[in-house]
């Protein structure tokens, strides 16, 4: 098995993998498969690897990558709300750690030079453009290529992978994303255009998919917010924003806020504190992400709204906050919280602020014939695996449209 600098800390050991494999019941009904957005079957890929030979890892990796071109990525970052929630062991002791098993199988398959190679489908003579090379675009490109389409992926960024490129190395090692991208490009006639889309190119394609996702940061109403850095800019170019020795406030309590916190601490921030409208139990985080907050001593201040950035010229010298409340019996939503009068506070112990309160789509949805939309631009923020599934589903609709079929798209 080849050495991998990430192996010891980011993947299951042989003993851990064996324990998880032995725990699986291989249910006949396969509830884990039913719960997977991309229809990948953990029961099958775990059964395939049970003996542990090289050929077993190849067969298991084939099941994973055949359903999900970002199989390695999803193994690393999938939440516990899909397959793990459906695992029959969840209500008995604890669910099989399926994402970790998946990530470890793919890693071992690579180490054993046992990654699958899929046959390329003969060209059908049709060409599709995909705007946005994130998980949705990748899911669609993989499916379309396997149906014989030529696919051109356009993206304003210089790398395939979309927002996956912003996930910190602690959660998603670069090598994992790179190997999944390499697998995608091997599936057929897929090319990556490192340029912006022009409507003049429309006539070259049988159909166009808009999968640009939520690509513009949402900036809440905060006085002097122009002195802050949004999470997309920060994670794209962390070296540009020095936080060494600084006391960092992050506005937001979701996964991207945690990503910013982890990167800031890695870059020698003195302290990091999340300011969220949610309380701890409402934060949209997985159990693994909550554990990371505790292990890294990231402070979380819930039911707090940041109202103003205090400054001296262009230098941040603190923030103003106010407590918020959620009416009894109401489910959390930003629109449901209200300020608590008399709870204003000045925090002079902050000198760097990152806004990580979510994102919005820059593209507008139209009804133009031959133009399709999928992914977060349609569904709102979702997980990587859900975005890949959206891409696969829309690829079937595009195939139907191009060849004027009457079939309905299905979840695959």
């Amino acid at each position: 098995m080849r050495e991998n600098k990430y192996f010891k800390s980011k993947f299951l050991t042989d003993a851990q993998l064996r324990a998880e494999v032995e725990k699986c019941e291989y249910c006949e009904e396969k509830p884990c498969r039913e719960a997977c957005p991309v229809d990948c079957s953990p029961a099958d890929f775990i059964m395939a690897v049970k003996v542990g030979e090289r050929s077993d890892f190849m067969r298991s990796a084939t099941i994973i990558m055949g359903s999900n071109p970002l199989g390695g990525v999803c193994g690393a970052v999938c939440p516990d709300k899909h397959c793990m929630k459906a695992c029959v062991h969840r209500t008995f002791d604890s669910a099989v750690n399926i994402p970790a098993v998946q990530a470890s199988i793919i890693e071992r398959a690579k180490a054993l030079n046992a990654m699958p190679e899929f046959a390329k489908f003969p060209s059908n003579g049709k060409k599709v453009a995909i705007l946005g090379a994130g998980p949705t675009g990748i899911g669609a490109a993989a499916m379309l290529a396997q149906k014989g389409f030529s696919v051109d992926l356009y993206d304003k960024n210089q790398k395939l992978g979309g927002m996956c490129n912003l996930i910190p190395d602690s959660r998603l090692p670069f090598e994992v994303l790179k190997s999944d991208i390499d697998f995608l490009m091997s599936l057929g006639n897929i090319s990556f255009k490192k340029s912006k889309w022009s409507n003049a190119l429309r006539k070259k394609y049988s159909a166009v998919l808009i999968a640009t996702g939520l690509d513009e940061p949402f900036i809440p109403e905060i006085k002097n917010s122009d002195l802050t850095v949004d999470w997309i800019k920060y994670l794209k170019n962390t070296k540009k924003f020095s936080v060494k020795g600084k006391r960092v406030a992050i506005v937001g309590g979701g996964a991207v806020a945690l990503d910013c916190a982890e990167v800031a601490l890695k870059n020698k921030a003195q302290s990091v504190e999340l300011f969220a409208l949610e309380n701890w139990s409402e934060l949209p985080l997985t159990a693994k992400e909550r554990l990371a907050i505790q292990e890294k001593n990231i402070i979380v201040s819930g039911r707090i709204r940041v109202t103003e950035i205090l400054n001296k010229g262009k230098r941040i010298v603190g923030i103003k906050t106010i407590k918020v409340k959620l009416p009894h019996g109401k489910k959390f939503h930003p629109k449901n919280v209200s300020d608590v009068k008399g709870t204003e506070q000045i925090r002079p112990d902050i000198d760097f602020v990152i806004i990580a309160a979510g994102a919005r789509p820059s593209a507008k949805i139209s009804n133009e014939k031959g133009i399709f939309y999928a992914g977060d631009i349609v569904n709102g923020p979702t997980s990587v695996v859900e975005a890949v599934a959206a891409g696969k589903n829309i690829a079937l609709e595009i195939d139907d449209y191009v060849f004027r079929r009457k079939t309905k798209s299905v979840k695959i």
Side-chain angles (χ1 to χ4, degrees), residues 92-275:
F92 175 60
D93 43 16
S94 61
V96 176
N97 192 345
I98 296 170
V101 170
Q102 178 172 319
S104 300
I105 288 171
I106 295 299
E107 181 61 18
R108 281 163 172 76
K110 289 188 291 185
L112 295 167
N113 194 26
M115 283 296 286
E117 295 182 8
F118 285 56
K120 294 181 180 180
F121 198 85
S123 173
N124 63 22
K126 303 296 183 179
K127 200 169 186 178
V128 174
I130 299 177
L131 282 59
T136 298
I138 287 171
M143 177 65 74
L144 290 169
Q146 286 286 285
K147 287 182 171 292
F149 287 87
S150 293
V151 180
D152 287 342
L153 279 161
Y154 289 83
D155 201 286
K156 61 184 178 182
N157 298 307
Q158 295 300 302
K159 295 180 181 179
L160 284 157
M163 293 297 182
C164 289
N165 288 293
L166 304 187
I167 300 175
D169 181 77
S170 58
R171 285 210 296 138
L172 178 59
F174 169 75
E175 290 185 357
V176 172
L177 176 58
K178 182 181 182 302
S179 63
D180 278 2
I181 296 299
D182 290 343
F183 172 79
L184 166 74
M185 301 305 283
S186 73
L187 291 177
N189 190 7
I190 303 173
S191 63
F192 178 45
K193 307 291 185 181
K194 300 177 183 178
S195 61
K196 292 184 178 180
W197 169 260
S198 169
N199 287 330
L201 299 171
R202 171 69 181 90
K203 60 184 178 181
K204 291 175 53 179
Y205 300 96
S206 301
V208 175
L209 170 61
I210 312 294
T212 48
L214 307 178
D215 55 340
E216 287 190 350
F218 168 68
I219 308 297
E221 291 185 15
I222 300 174
K223 188 176 180 181
N224 295 326
S225 62
D226 57 303
L227 299 174
T228 68
V229 178
D230 70 70
W231 65 274
I232 295 179
K233 286 181 180 177
Y234 180 68
L235 293 175
K236 271 187 177 180
N237 193 357
T238 57
K239 293 181 180 179
K240 181 180 178 181
F241 305 101
S242 175
V243 297
K244 185 177 182 180
K246 293 186 177 181
R247 298 160 296 181
V248 178
I250 299 176
V251 180
V256 295
L258 175 58
D259 289 346
C260 291
E262 290 194 9
V263 172
L265 287 172
K266 182 180 179 181
N267 290 335
K268 308 300 174 85
Q270 179 180 325
S271 63
V272 174
E273 184 170 352
L274 306 186
F275 292 84

Side-chain angles (χ1 to χ4, degrees), residues 30 34 41 63 65 73 95 126 174 226 236 255 260 265 279 293 302 312 319 341 352 397 403:
K30 300 177 184 176
E34 291 299 315
S41 177
I63 293 171
M65 302 305 291
V73 170
K126 303 296 183 179
F174 169 75
D226 57 303
K236 271 187 177 180
C260 291
L265 287 172
N279 61 31
I293 287 178
K312 287 185 178 179
I319 61 174
K341 292 182 179 180
F352 193 92
E397 294 190 25
F403 291 102

